[in-house]
Amino acid sequence: MWKKLTGLGGALLSAALVFASPATAELKDILQSGTIKIATPENFPPFGSLGADGEYEGYDIDVAKMIAEDLGVELELVPVTSKQRIPFLETDRVDLVISTLGANPERAKSIWFSHAYAPFFSGAFAKPDVSVASIADFAGKKIAVTGGTLEDLAITEDAPEGSEIIRFGDNAATIAAYVSGQADVIVTGNMVALGIANDNPDFNLQTKFIIANSPSYIGVKTGNIDLLQWVNVFVLHKKLNGKLDELSKKWLKTPLPPLPAL
């Protein structure tokens, strides 16, 4: 069983719940209350968004459901925007944040992070018949990339002689150029590549190699050590039993890559 808050009515209900029943955060309190409040993406498919049936769906939604199931409590989804993720956790509006949250030193001043549970990266993508295992293999190939991005800077510095790097003004132009056959390889983020794969299933687009890794972590309020420890065991368990790999294949169309542990 789980509840969701959507639209204006959901926002008002969410606001009421903040004052009526704040998130408990401590593991023992969550277990005693029988409910866990988890912040998930409001509109960021395939991690979290409203599905055709009006219910939230996605990678992060499924992870939240598994957490509630393993805890044996009811799940209350709290859809959030990117800017709301950390404030909602700090002010006890939610117990956990599962919303493509990247870890960095600045954010770590405010909250704690679990082990990584989901991949988020930029890389080189191409069809199966294109042999590319590293930047060194760009020689003799046309590479589409959005100019001025981190991906552009990374490949420009290390690209071998004979590489033809074709830069475009934005992601839409880069995608259009690759799809139309103007390049052998596209260098971009995995969510952009997933969109190409979904729109062009005959491409059988593959991740050839990762250029920059920025995986997602579960956010835990600072000081809740028991909850953090439980979440880390949960992530480890789902890696070992293949459940996160299943979610990665289902929503991201790729096997779960190795993920870092904190």
Side-chain angles (χ1 to χ4, degrees), residues 125-127 174-186 203 205:
F125 304 87
K127 297 178 182 179
T174 306
I175 293 168
Y178 177 74
V179 170
S180 66
Q182 298 179 45
D184 305 301
V185 178
I186 183 169
F203 279 20
L205 199 66

Side-chain angles (χ1 to χ4, degrees), residues 15 23 53 80 89 120 129 140 205 220 236 242 256-257:
D53 60 357
V80 296
L89 189 61
F120 204 86
D129 60 349
L205 199 66
V220 180
L236 175 63
L256 189 76

Side-chain angles (χ1 to χ4, degrees), residues 32-101:
Q32 289 174 358
S33 71
T35 300
I36 186 166
K37 297 182 179 183
I38 300 180
T40 52
E42 183 177 66
N43 184 25
F44 191 59
F47 287 93
S49 61
L50 275 176
D53 60 357
E55 301 289 337
Y56 277 92
E57 63 180 18
Y59 189 110
D60 287 351
I61 308 301
D62 283 352
V63 172
K65 289 178 180 179
M66 288 195 298
I67 281 181
E69 181 179 359
D70 279 15
L71 284 171
V73 299
E74 183 176 332
L75 171 62
E76 185 173 309
L77 293 179
V78 183
V80 296
T81 63
S82 294
K83 291 182 178 179
Q84 292 173 325
R85 293 175 298 181
I86 292 177
F88 271 43
L89 189 61
E90 291 181 306
T91 56
D92 294 323
R93 300 188 190 190
V94 296
D95 300 305
L96 296 173
V97 173
I98 306 178
S99 185
T100 61
L101 186 64

Side-chain angles (χ1 to χ4, degrees), residues 28 46 75 109 119 191 224:
K28 61 180 178 61
L75 171 62
K109 296 177 183 177
M191 292 299 97
N224 294 332

